[in-house]
Short mmCIF file of all heavy atoms in Angstrom, two decimals:
data_model
loop_
_atom_site.label_atom_id
_atom_site.label_comp_id
_atom_site.label_asym_id
_atom_site.label_seq_id
_atom_site.Cartn_x
_atom_site.Cartn_y
_atom_site.Cartn_z
N MET A 127 12.00 -9.64 -7.67
CA MET A 127 11.91 -8.35 -8.36
C MET A 127 12.37 -7.24 -7.41
O MET A 127 12.05 -7.23 -6.23
CB MET A 127 10.46 -8.12 -8.79
CG MET A 127 10.28 -6.85 -9.63
SD MET A 127 8.54 -6.68 -10.10
CE MET A 127 8.46 -4.91 -10.32
N ALA A 128 13.11 -6.28 -7.93
CA ALA A 128 13.60 -5.18 -7.12
C ALA A 128 12.44 -4.35 -6.61
O ALA A 128 11.49 -4.09 -7.33
CB ALA A 128 14.55 -4.31 -7.93
N GLY A 129 12.53 -3.92 -5.36
CA GLY A 129 11.51 -3.06 -4.81
C GLY A 129 10.31 -3.80 -4.26
O GLY A 129 9.36 -3.17 -3.84
N THR A 130 10.32 -5.12 -4.29
CA THR A 130 9.21 -5.86 -3.71
C THR A 130 9.72 -6.64 -2.51
O THR A 130 10.90 -6.98 -2.41
CB THR A 130 8.58 -6.85 -4.71
OG1 THR A 130 9.51 -7.89 -4.98
CG2 THR A 130 8.21 -6.15 -6.01
N ARG A 131 8.81 -6.92 -1.60
CA ARG A 131 9.18 -7.74 -0.46
C ARG A 131 7.95 -8.47 0.05
O ARG A 131 6.82 -8.01 -0.13
CB ARG A 131 9.82 -6.91 0.66
CG ARG A 131 9.00 -5.71 1.06
CD ARG A 131 9.77 -4.87 2.04
NE ARG A 131 9.27 -3.51 2.07
CZ ARG A 131 9.41 -2.69 3.10
NH1 ARG A 131 10.04 -3.10 4.18
NH2 ARG A 131 8.93 -1.47 3.06
N SER A 132 8.19 -9.58 0.70
CA SER A 132 7.11 -10.40 1.23
C SER A 132 6.74 -9.89 2.62
O SER A 132 7.57 -9.81 3.51
CB SER A 132 7.56 -11.86 1.31
OG SER A 132 6.51 -12.66 1.76
N LEU A 133 5.45 -9.49 2.76
CA LEU A 133 4.94 -8.99 4.03
C LEU A 133 3.55 -9.57 4.24
O LEU A 133 2.87 -9.94 3.29
CB LEU A 133 4.84 -7.47 4.01
CG LEU A 133 6.15 -6.68 3.98
CD1 LEU A 133 5.89 -5.22 3.64
CD2 LEU A 133 6.86 -6.79 5.32
N TYR A 134 3.12 -9.58 5.51
CA TYR A 134 1.79 -10.10 5.81
C TYR A 134 0.72 -9.11 5.37
O TYR A 134 0.81 -7.91 5.63
CB TYR A 134 1.65 -10.38 7.30
CG TYR A 134 0.33 -11.01 7.65
CD1 TYR A 134 0.11 -12.37 7.40
CD2 TYR A 134 -0.70 -10.27 8.20
CE1 TYR A 134 -1.10 -12.96 7.71
CE2 TYR A 134 -1.92 -10.85 8.51
CZ TYR A 134 -2.11 -12.20 8.25
OH TYR A 134 -3.32 -12.77 8.55
N CYS A 135 -0.32 -9.62 4.69
CA CYS A 135 -1.45 -8.79 4.27
C CYS A 135 -2.67 -9.20 5.07
O CYS A 135 -3.06 -10.37 5.07
CB CYS A 135 -1.71 -8.97 2.77
SG CYS A 135 -3.22 -8.14 2.22
N THR A 136 -3.30 -8.23 5.76
CA THR A 136 -4.45 -8.56 6.60
C THR A 136 -5.68 -8.88 5.77
O THR A 136 -6.62 -9.51 6.25
CB THR A 136 -4.78 -7.40 7.55
OG1 THR A 136 -4.97 -6.21 6.80
CG2 THR A 136 -3.65 -7.19 8.54
N THR A 137 -5.73 -8.41 4.53
CA THR A 137 -6.85 -8.73 3.66
C THR A 137 -6.73 -10.14 3.11
O THR A 137 -7.69 -10.92 3.12
CB THR A 137 -6.94 -7.71 2.50
OG1 THR A 137 -7.16 -6.42 3.05
CG2 THR A 137 -8.09 -8.06 1.56
N CYS A 138 -5.55 -10.49 2.64
CA CYS A 138 -5.31 -11.83 2.09
C CYS A 138 -5.20 -12.88 3.20
O CYS A 138 -5.52 -14.05 3.00
CB CYS A 138 -4.03 -11.85 1.25
SG CYS A 138 -4.12 -10.80 -0.23
N GLY A 139 -4.70 -12.45 4.36
CA GLY A 139 -4.48 -13.37 5.46
C GLY A 139 -3.24 -14.23 5.29
O GLY A 139 -3.07 -15.24 5.99
N THR A 140 -2.38 -13.83 4.37
CA THR A 140 -1.15 -14.57 4.11
C THR A 140 -0.02 -13.59 3.82
O THR A 140 -0.25 -12.40 3.63
CB THR A 140 -1.32 -15.49 2.88
OG1 THR A 140 -1.87 -14.71 1.80
CG2 THR A 140 -2.26 -16.64 3.17
N ASP A 141 1.20 -14.10 3.79
CA ASP A 141 2.32 -13.29 3.34
C ASP A 141 2.25 -13.13 1.83
O ASP A 141 2.13 -14.13 1.11
CB ASP A 141 3.65 -13.94 3.71
CG ASP A 141 3.95 -13.78 5.20
OD1 ASP A 141 3.11 -13.18 5.90
OD2 ASP A 141 5.01 -14.24 5.64
N GLU A 142 2.31 -11.90 1.36
CA GLU A 142 2.22 -11.62 -0.07
C GLU A 142 3.32 -10.65 -0.47
O GLU A 142 3.84 -9.91 0.35
CB GLU A 142 0.85 -10.99 -0.41
CG GLU A 142 -0.35 -11.88 -0.11
CD GLU A 142 -0.40 -13.10 -1.02
OE1 GLU A 142 0.21 -13.06 -2.11
OE2 GLU A 142 -1.06 -14.08 -0.64
N GLN A 143 3.62 -10.63 -1.76
CA GLN A 143 4.59 -9.67 -2.26
C GLN A 143 3.98 -8.27 -2.24
O GLN A 143 2.84 -8.08 -2.68
CB GLN A 143 5.01 -10.03 -3.69
CG GLN A 143 5.88 -11.27 -3.77
CD GLN A 143 7.20 -11.10 -3.03
OE1 GLN A 143 7.87 -10.09 -3.17
NE2 GLN A 143 7.56 -12.10 -2.24
N HIS A 144 4.72 -7.32 -1.72
CA HIS A 144 4.31 -5.91 -1.71
C HIS A 144 5.35 -5.09 -2.47
O HIS A 144 6.53 -5.36 -2.37
CB HIS A 144 4.21 -5.39 -0.28
CG HIS A 144 3.06 -5.93 0.50
ND1 HIS A 144 2.95 -7.25 0.86
CD2 HIS A 144 1.95 -5.32 0.98
CE1 HIS A 144 1.83 -7.43 1.55
NE2 HIS A 144 1.20 -6.28 1.62
N ARG A 145 4.88 -4.08 -3.14
CA ARG A 145 5.80 -3.19 -3.84
C ARG A 145 5.59 -1.75 -3.39
O ARG A 145 4.51 -1.39 -2.92
CB ARG A 145 5.65 -3.30 -5.35
CG ARG A 145 4.32 -2.77 -5.89
CD ARG A 145 4.45 -2.41 -7.36
NE ARG A 145 3.15 -2.17 -7.98
CZ ARG A 145 2.48 -1.01 -7.87
NH1 ARG A 145 2.95 -0.04 -7.13
NH2 ARG A 145 1.31 -0.86 -8.49
N VAL A 146 6.63 -0.93 -3.60
CA VAL A 146 6.49 0.50 -3.32
C VAL A 146 5.55 1.09 -4.35
O VAL A 146 5.29 0.51 -5.40
CB VAL A 146 7.86 1.21 -3.34
CG1 VAL A 146 8.76 0.68 -2.24
CG2 VAL A 146 8.52 1.05 -4.69
N LEU A 147 5.04 2.28 -4.06
CA LEU A 147 4.02 2.89 -4.91
C LEU A 147 4.64 3.64 -6.07
O LEU A 147 5.70 4.24 -5.95
CB LEU A 147 3.16 3.85 -4.09
CG LEU A 147 2.50 3.26 -2.85
CD1 LEU A 147 1.63 4.31 -2.19
CD2 LEU A 147 1.69 2.03 -3.19
N PHE A 148 3.94 3.62 -7.19
CA PHE A 148 4.31 4.47 -8.31
C PHE A 148 3.98 5.92 -7.95
O PHE A 148 3.22 6.19 -7.02
CB PHE A 148 3.57 4.05 -9.58
CG PHE A 148 3.90 2.68 -10.06
CD1 PHE A 148 2.90 1.84 -10.51
CD2 PHE A 148 5.21 2.22 -10.04
CE1 PHE A 148 3.21 0.55 -10.96
CE2 PHE A 148 5.52 0.94 -10.49
CZ PHE A 148 4.51 0.10 -10.95
N LYS A 149 4.52 6.84 -8.73
CA LYS A 149 4.35 8.26 -8.45
C LYS A 149 2.87 8.66 -8.38
O LYS A 149 2.44 9.34 -7.44
CB LYS A 149 5.07 9.08 -9.53
CG LYS A 149 5.42 10.47 -9.08
CD LYS A 149 6.57 10.42 -8.08
CE LYS A 149 6.65 11.72 -7.29
NZ LYS A 149 7.62 11.59 -6.18
N ALA A 150 2.09 8.25 -9.36
CA ALA A 150 0.67 8.63 -9.39
C ALA A 150 -0.06 8.06 -8.18
O ALA A 150 -0.98 8.68 -7.65
CB ALA A 150 0.03 8.14 -10.68
N GLU A 151 0.34 6.89 -7.74
CA GLU A 151 -0.28 6.26 -6.57
C GLU A 151 0.07 7.01 -5.29
O GLU A 151 -0.76 7.18 -4.40
CB GLU A 151 0.18 4.80 -6.48
CG GLU A 151 -0.31 3.97 -7.66
CD GLU A 151 0.37 2.62 -7.76
OE1 GLU A 151 1.43 2.42 -7.14
OE2 GLU A 151 -0.16 1.77 -8.48
N GLN A 152 1.33 7.50 -5.21
CA GLN A 152 1.73 8.28 -4.05
C GLN A 152 0.95 9.58 -3.98
O GLN A 152 0.53 10.01 -2.90
CB GLN A 152 3.24 8.57 -4.11
CG GLN A 152 4.08 7.33 -3.91
CD GLN A 152 5.56 7.65 -3.81
OE1 GLN A 152 6.01 8.71 -4.24
NE2 GLN A 152 6.32 6.72 -3.26
N VAL A 153 0.75 10.21 -5.13
CA VAL A 153 -0.01 11.46 -5.18
C VAL A 153 -1.45 11.21 -4.72
O VAL A 153 -2.01 11.97 -3.93
CB VAL A 153 0.03 12.06 -6.61
CG1 VAL A 153 -0.96 13.22 -6.73
CG2 VAL A 153 1.44 12.51 -6.95
N TRP A 154 -2.04 10.13 -5.21
CA TRP A 154 -3.40 9.77 -4.82
C TRP A 154 -3.48 9.55 -3.31
O TRP A 154 -4.38 10.07 -2.62
CB TRP A 154 -3.82 8.49 -5.56
CG TRP A 154 -5.17 7.98 -5.15
CD1 TRP A 154 -6.38 8.33 -5.66
CD2 TRP A 154 -5.44 7.00 -4.13
NE1 TRP A 154 -7.38 7.65 -5.03
CE2 TRP A 154 -6.84 6.82 -4.09
CE3 TRP A 154 -4.64 6.25 -3.27
CZ2 TRP A 154 -7.45 5.94 -3.20
CZ3 TRP A 154 -5.25 5.37 -2.38
CH2 TRP A 154 -6.64 5.22 -2.37
N LEU A 155 -2.52 8.83 -2.77
CA LEU A 155 -2.54 8.50 -1.34
C LEU A 155 -2.36 9.75 -0.48
O LEU A 155 -3.04 9.92 0.53
CB LEU A 155 -1.44 7.47 -1.05
CG LEU A 155 -1.36 7.00 0.41
CD1 LEU A 155 -2.69 6.41 0.87
CD2 LEU A 155 -0.24 6.00 0.57
N LYS A 156 -1.46 10.62 -0.88
CA LYS A 156 -1.25 11.87 -0.14
C LYS A 156 -2.55 12.66 -0.04
O LYS A 156 -2.85 13.26 0.98
CB LYS A 156 -0.17 12.72 -0.82
CG LYS A 156 1.22 12.20 -0.60
CD LYS A 156 2.23 13.05 -1.36
CE LYS A 156 3.62 12.47 -1.26
NZ LYS A 156 4.60 13.19 -2.09
N GLY A 157 -3.33 12.67 -1.13
CA GLY A 157 -4.60 13.38 -1.12
C GLY A 157 -5.63 12.73 -0.22
O GLY A 157 -6.52 13.39 0.31
N ARG A 158 -5.51 11.42 -0.04
CA ARG A 158 -6.48 10.70 0.77
C ARG A 158 -6.19 10.76 2.26
O ARG A 158 -7.10 10.86 3.08
CB ARG A 158 -6.53 9.21 0.35
CG ARG A 158 -7.13 8.97 -1.02
CD ARG A 158 -8.59 9.43 -1.11
NE ARG A 158 -9.44 8.71 -0.18
CZ ARG A 158 -10.11 7.63 -0.49
NH1 ARG A 158 -10.05 7.14 -1.72
NH2 ARG A 158 -10.87 7.04 0.40
N ILE A 159 -4.94 10.68 2.63
CA ILE A 159 -4.60 10.59 4.06
C ILE A 159 -3.92 11.85 4.57
O ILE A 159 -3.57 11.93 5.73
CB ILE A 159 -3.72 9.36 4.36
CG1 ILE A 159 -2.35 9.48 3.69
CG2 ILE A 159 -4.43 8.08 3.91
CD1 ILE A 159 -1.41 8.34 4.08
N LEU A 160 -3.74 12.85 3.70
CA LEU A 160 -3.20 14.14 4.10
C LEU A 160 -1.87 14.00 4.83
O LEU A 160 -1.65 14.57 5.90
CB LEU A 160 -4.22 14.88 4.98
CG LEU A 160 -5.59 15.06 4.33
CD1 LEU A 160 -6.56 15.74 5.29
CD2 LEU A 160 -5.49 15.84 3.03
N ARG A 161 -1.00 13.23 4.23
CA ARG A 161 0.37 13.16 4.75
C ARG A 161 1.32 13.67 3.67
O ARG A 161 1.09 13.48 2.48
CB ARG A 161 0.77 11.71 5.08
CG ARG A 161 0.12 11.16 6.31
CD ARG A 161 0.82 9.88 6.70
NE ARG A 161 -0.01 9.05 7.56
CZ ARG A 161 0.39 7.89 8.07
NH1 ARG A 161 1.58 7.41 7.78
NH2 ARG A 161 -0.41 7.18 8.84
N LYS A 162 2.37 14.33 4.12
CA LYS A 162 3.35 14.83 3.15
C LYS A 162 4.24 13.71 2.62
O LYS A 162 4.69 13.75 1.49
CB LYS A 162 4.23 15.90 3.78
CG LYS A 162 3.55 17.25 3.93
CD LYS A 162 4.58 18.32 4.24
CE LYS A 162 3.96 19.71 4.22
NZ LYS A 162 3.06 19.92 5.37
N ASN A 163 4.48 12.73 3.45
CA ASN A 163 5.43 11.68 3.07
C ASN A 163 4.75 10.31 3.16
O ASN A 163 4.32 9.88 4.23
CB ASN A 163 6.65 11.72 4.01
CG ASN A 163 7.74 10.79 3.54
OD1 ASN A 163 7.48 9.70 3.03
ND2 ASN A 163 8.97 11.21 3.70
N VAL A 164 4.66 9.65 2.02
CA VAL A 164 4.03 8.32 1.99
C VAL A 164 5.03 7.27 1.50
O VAL A 164 4.65 6.20 1.05
CB VAL A 164 2.77 8.31 1.11
CG1 VAL A 164 1.68 9.20 1.70
CG2 VAL A 164 3.08 8.74 -0.32
N ASP A 165 6.32 7.59 1.63
CA ASP A 165 7.34 6.68 1.12
C ASP A 165 7.32 5.31 1.79
O ASP A 165 7.78 4.33 1.22
CB ASP A 165 8.74 7.30 1.33
CG ASP A 165 8.96 8.51 0.44
OD1 ASP A 165 8.17 8.71 -0.50
OD2 ASP A 165 9.94 9.23 0.68
N GLU A 166 6.80 5.27 3.03
CA GLU A 166 6.84 4.01 3.77
C GLU A 166 5.74 3.03 3.33
O GLU A 166 5.76 1.87 3.72
CB GLU A 166 6.74 4.28 5.27
CG GLU A 166 5.39 4.91 5.64
CD GLU A 166 5.31 5.20 7.13
OE1 GLU A 166 6.09 4.63 7.90
OE2 GLU A 166 4.44 5.99 7.52
N PHE A 167 4.79 3.50 2.53
CA PHE A 167 3.68 2.64 2.17
C PHE A 167 4.03 1.69 1.03
O PHE A 167 4.73 2.06 0.08
CB PHE A 167 2.46 3.48 1.76
CG PHE A 167 1.74 4.07 2.95
CD1 PHE A 167 2.13 5.28 3.48
CD2 PHE A 167 0.70 3.37 3.54
CE1 PHE A 167 1.49 5.81 4.59
CE2 PHE A 167 0.04 3.89 4.65
CZ PHE A 167 0.44 5.11 5.17
N VAL A 168 3.53 0.47 1.15
CA VAL A 168 3.68 -0.52 0.09
C VAL A 168 2.30 -1.12 -0.19
O VAL A 168 1.38 -1.02 0.63
CB VAL A 168 4.68 -1.64 0.49
CG1 VAL A 168 6.09 -1.09 0.58
CG2 VAL A 168 4.27 -2.31 1.78
N MET A 169 2.17 -1.74 -1.36
CA MET A 169 0.88 -2.26 -1.80
C MET A 169 0.96 -3.75 -2.04
O MET A 169 1.91 -4.24 -2.65
CB MET A 169 0.49 -1.54 -3.11
CG MET A 169 -0.91 -1.86 -3.58
SD MET A 169 -1.16 -1.30 -5.29
CE MET A 169 -0.48 -2.73 -6.16
N CYS A 170 -0.06 -4.47 -1.56
CA CYS A 170 -0.14 -5.92 -1.80
C CYS A 170 -0.34 -6.19 -3.28
O CYS A 170 -1.20 -5.59 -3.93
CB CYS A 170 -1.30 -6.50 -1.00
SG CYS A 170 -1.56 -8.26 -1.28
N GLN A 171 0.45 -7.10 -3.82
CA GLN A 171 0.38 -7.40 -5.25
C GLN A 171 -0.44 -8.64 -5.57
O GLN A 171 -0.50 -9.06 -6.73
CB GLN A 171 1.80 -7.59 -5.80
CG GLN A 171 2.60 -6.31 -5.84
CD GLN A 171 3.84 -6.46 -6.69
OE1 GLN A 171 4.82 -7.06 -6.29
NE2 GLN A 171 3.78 -5.92 -7.89
N ALA A 172 -1.10 -9.21 -4.58
CA ALA A 172 -1.96 -10.36 -4.87
C ALA A 172 -3.07 -9.90 -5.82
O ALA A 172 -3.55 -8.78 -5.71
CB ALA A 172 -2.56 -10.91 -3.59
N PRO A 173 -3.49 -10.76 -6.75
CA PRO A 173 -4.50 -10.36 -7.73
C PRO A 173 -5.76 -9.81 -7.07
O PRO A 173 -6.34 -10.45 -6.19
CB PRO A 173 -4.80 -11.67 -8.47
CG PRO A 173 -3.55 -12.46 -8.33
CD PRO A 173 -3.01 -12.12 -6.95
N GLY A 174 -6.14 -8.58 -7.45
CA GLY A 174 -7.37 -7.98 -6.96
C GLY A 174 -7.31 -7.41 -5.56
O GLY A 174 -8.32 -6.93 -5.05
N CYS A 175 -6.16 -7.44 -4.90
CA CYS A 175 -6.09 -6.97 -3.52
C CYS A 175 -5.73 -5.49 -3.44
O CYS A 175 -6.57 -4.66 -3.14
CB CYS A 175 -5.10 -7.81 -2.71
SG CYS A 175 -5.10 -7.36 -0.96
N ARG A 176 -4.46 -5.17 -3.67
CA ARG A 176 -3.98 -3.78 -3.69
C ARG A 176 -4.14 -3.09 -2.34
O ARG A 176 -4.25 -1.87 -2.26
CB ARG A 176 -4.69 -2.98 -4.80
CG ARG A 176 -4.51 -3.60 -6.17
CD ARG A 176 -5.27 -2.88 -7.26
NE ARG A 176 -4.67 -1.62 -7.65
CZ ARG A 176 -3.65 -1.50 -8.50
NH1 ARG A 176 -3.13 -2.57 -9.07
NH2 ARG A 176 -3.17 -0.32 -8.81
N LYS A 177 -4.17 -3.83 -1.28
CA LYS A 177 -4.25 -3.27 0.07
C LYS A 177 -2.94 -2.59 0.44
O LYS A 177 -1.87 -3.07 0.11
CB LYS A 177 -4.55 -4.41 1.05
CG LYS A 177 -4.34 -4.08 2.51
CD LYS A 177 -5.59 -3.48 3.13
CE LYS A 177 -5.31 -3.02 4.56
NZ LYS A 177 -4.95 -4.10 5.47
N LEU A 178 -3.06 -1.47 1.16
CA LEU A 178 -1.89 -0.73 1.60
C LEU A 178 -1.48 -1.10 3.01
O LEU A 178 -2.32 -1.36 3.86
CB LEU A 178 -2.18 0.77 1.57
CG LEU A 178 -2.28 1.43 0.20
CD1 LEU A 178 -2.87 2.81 0.36
CD2 LEU A 178 -0.91 1.50 -0.44
N ARG A 179 -0.18 -1.07 3.25
CA ARG A 179 0.35 -1.18 4.59
C ARG A 179 1.72 -0.48 4.57
O ARG A 179 2.14 0.02 3.54
CB ARG A 179 0.51 -2.64 5.04
CG ARG A 179 1.44 -3.48 4.16
CD ARG A 179 1.89 -4.74 4.87
NE ARG A 179 2.81 -4.39 5.96
CZ ARG A 179 3.13 -5.20 6.97
NH1 ARG A 179 2.63 -6.41 7.01
NH2 ARG A 179 3.96 -4.81 7.91
N THR A 180 2.36 -0.41 5.72
CA THR A 180 3.73 0.07 5.72
C THR A 180 4.64 -1.10 6.08
O THR A 180 4.19 -2.16 6.50
CB THR A 180 3.96 1.21 6.72
OG1 THR A 180 3.84 0.68 8.04
CG2 THR A 180 2.94 2.32 6.52
N GLY A 181 5.92 -0.88 5.93
CA GLY A 181 6.86 -1.95 6.23
C GLY A 181 6.79 -2.39 7.68
O GLY A 181 7.05 -3.54 8.00
N HIS A 182 6.38 -1.47 8.57
CA HIS A 182 6.38 -1.78 10.00
C HIS A 182 4.99 -2.11 10.55
O HIS A 182 4.88 -2.76 11.57
CB HIS A 182 6.95 -0.60 10.79
CG HIS A 182 8.36 -0.29 10.44
ND1 HIS A 182 9.40 -1.16 10.70
CD2 HIS A 182 8.91 0.77 9.82
CE1 HIS A 182 10.53 -0.63 10.27
NE2 HIS A 182 10.26 0.54 9.72
N THR A 183 3.96 -1.63 9.89
CA THR A 183 2.62 -1.72 10.47
C THR A 183 1.65 -2.36 9.50
O THR A 183 1.52 -1.91 8.36
CB THR A 183 2.11 -0.30 10.85
OG1 THR A 183 3.10 0.33 11.63
CG2 THR A 183 0.82 -0.40 11.63
N LYS A 184 0.94 -3.40 9.97
CA LYS A 184 -0.02 -4.10 9.11
C LYS A 184 -1.24 -3.24 8.82
O LYS A 184 -1.80 -3.31 7.75
CB LYS A 184 -0.45 -5.42 9.76
CG LYS A 184 0.64 -6.48 9.81
CD LYS A 184 0.08 -7.83 10.18
CE LYS A 184 -0.27 -7.94 11.66
NZ LYS A 184 0.92 -8.06 12.52
N GLU A 185 -1.66 -2.45 9.83
CA GLU A 185 -2.87 -1.62 9.68
C GLU A 185 -2.55 -0.18 10.07
O GLU A 185 -2.96 0.28 11.13
CB GLU A 185 -4.00 -2.17 10.56
CG GLU A 185 -4.48 -3.55 10.18
CD GLU A 185 -5.40 -3.54 8.96
OE1 GLU A 185 -5.61 -2.46 8.37
OE2 GLU A 185 -5.91 -4.61 8.61
N PRO A 186 -1.84 0.53 9.21
CA PRO A 186 -1.41 1.89 9.59
C PRO A 186 -2.53 2.93 9.51
O PRO A 186 -2.39 4.02 10.04
CB PRO A 186 -0.31 2.20 8.58
CG PRO A 186 -0.68 1.40 7.37
CD PRO A 186 -1.31 0.14 7.90
N LEU A 187 -3.62 2.61 8.84
CA LEU A 187 -4.66 3.60 8.58
C LEU A 187 -5.97 3.20 9.24
O LEU A 187 -6.29 2.01 9.36
CB LEU A 187 -4.89 3.73 7.08
CG LEU A 187 -3.65 4.13 6.25
CD1 LEU A 187 -3.94 3.98 4.77
CD2 LEU A 187 -3.22 5.53 6.58
N ALA A 188 -6.75 4.20 9.63
CA ALA A 188 -8.04 3.94 10.25
C ALA A 188 -8.98 3.26 9.25
O ALA A 188 -9.75 2.37 9.60
CB ALA A 188 -8.66 5.23 10.76
N ASP A 189 -8.91 3.72 8.00
CA ASP A 189 -9.74 3.13 6.96
C ASP A 189 -8.89 2.25 6.06
O ASP A 189 -7.73 2.57 5.79
CB ASP A 189 -10.37 4.22 6.09
CG ASP A 189 -11.30 5.11 6.91
OD1 ASP A 189 -12.09 4.57 7.69
OD2 ASP A 189 -11.20 6.33 6.75
N VAL A 190 -9.45 1.15 5.62
CA VAL A 190 -8.75 0.29 4.67
C VAL A 190 -8.73 0.99 3.31
O VAL A 190 -9.77 1.31 2.77
CB VAL A 190 -9.43 -1.08 4.55
CG1 VAL A 190 -8.78 -1.89 3.43
CG2 VAL A 190 -9.33 -1.83 5.86
N LEU A 191 -7.55 1.25 2.82
CA LEU A 191 -7.42 1.89 1.52
C LEU A 191 -6.80 0.93 0.52
O LEU A 191 -5.85 0.24 0.84
CB LEU A 191 -6.53 3.13 1.62
CG LEU A 191 -7.13 4.37 2.28
CD1 LEU A 191 -6.11 5.50 2.24
CD2 LEU A 191 -8.40 4.80 1.58
N ARG A 192 -7.38 0.92 -0.67
CA ARG A 192 -6.80 0.16 -1.76
C ARG A 192 -6.52 1.12 -2.91
O ARG A 192 -7.33 1.98 -3.22
CB ARG A 192 -7.74 -0.94 -2.24
CG ARG A 192 -7.94 -2.03 -1.20
CD ARG A 192 -8.77 -3.17 -1.76
NE ARG A 192 -8.92 -4.25 -0.81
CZ ARG A 192 -9.80 -4.23 0.19
NH1 ARG A 192 -10.59 -3.22 0.35
NH2 ARG A 192 -9.85 -5.25 1.03
N ILE A 193 -5.38 0.94 -3.51
CA ILE A 193 -5.00 1.82 -4.62
C ILE A 193 -5.91 1.54 -5.82
O ILE A 193 -6.04 0.39 -6.23
CB ILE A 193 -3.53 1.55 -5.01
CG1 ILE A 193 -2.59 1.90 -3.86
CG2 ILE A 193 -3.17 2.32 -6.28
CD1 ILE A 193 -2.43 3.38 -3.62
N PRO A 194 -6.54 2.57 -6.39
CA PRO A 194 -7.34 2.35 -7.60
C PRO A 194 -6.46 1.84 -8.74
O PRO A 194 -5.28 2.15 -8.81
CB PRO A 194 -7.87 3.76 -7.92
CG PRO A 194 -7.72 4.54 -6.67
CD PRO A 194 -6.55 3.96 -5.94
N GLU A 195 -7.07 1.06 -9.60
CA GLU A 195 -6.30 0.47 -10.70
C GLU A 195 -6.09 1.41 -11.86
O GLU A 195 -5.28 1.16 -12.73
CB GLU A 195 -7.01 -0.79 -11.20
CG GLU A 195 -7.25 -1.80 -10.09
CD GLU A 195 -7.06 -3.22 -10.59
OE1 GLU A 195 -6.34 -3.41 -11.58
OE2 GLU A 195 -7.64 -4.12 -9.99
N ASP A 196 -6.88 2.49 -11.91
CA ASP A 196 -6.89 3.31 -13.12
C ASP A 196 -6.24 4.68 -12.91
O ASP A 196 -6.65 5.66 -13.49
CB ASP A 196 -8.33 3.51 -13.60
CG ASP A 196 -9.21 4.10 -12.52
OD1 ASP A 196 -8.75 4.22 -11.37
OD2 ASP A 196 -10.36 4.46 -12.82
N LEU A 197 -5.23 4.75 -12.07
CA LEU A 197 -4.55 6.03 -11.86
C LEU A 197 -3.68 6.38 -13.05
O LEU A 197 -3.11 5.52 -13.67
CB LEU A 197 -3.69 5.96 -10.60
CG LEU A 197 -4.48 5.96 -9.29
CD1 LEU A 197 -3.51 5.78 -8.13
CD2 LEU A 197 -5.25 7.24 -9.11
ZN1 ZN B 84 -3.43 -8.68 0.00
#
């Protein structure tokens, strides 16, 4: 699928498909981590996970953030 890539997820402990964030998810994340640009963030697509990471860093944030499902 376009826009997805296989990356290691520290929550799953395995390589999982990650996708870039939808607009509403980016807005939510910006409000949480107070960054202007969250384009580098991707989300684990394993069922029930939704853990965030960036393409370069497995644990980019001090707190583990998961995208809410009901944005
Ligand atoms: Zn995961």
Side-chain angles (χ1 to χ4, degrees):
M127 185 179 155
T130 68
R131 52 187 159 156
S132 183
L133 292 167
Y134 184 77
C135 173
T136 55
T137 299
C138 295
T140 50
D141 284 1
E142 298 292 339
Q143 289 297 314
H144 289 67
R145 68 158 168 81
V146 296
L147 305 183
F148 296 138
K149 202 73 198 171
E151 295 167 343
Q152 291 187 340
V153 170
W154 176 87
L155 182 57
K156 285 177 185 175
R158 290 299 298 267
I159 66 175
L160 305 178
R161 287 193 200 182
K162 284 194 172 71
N163 189 322
V164 295
D165 291 347
E166 64 181 342
F167 283 87
V168 292
M169 187 193 84
C170 177
Q171 291 194 284
C175 185
R176 303 176 75 82
K177 166 88 187 296
L178 288 167
R179 60 162 290 163
T180 69
H182 298 294
T183 309
K184 290 192 285 286
E185 296 282 4
L187 302 170
D189 297 315
V190 173
L191 286 182
R192 293 185 177 81
I193 296 288
E195 304 218 24
D196 56 352
L197 288 176

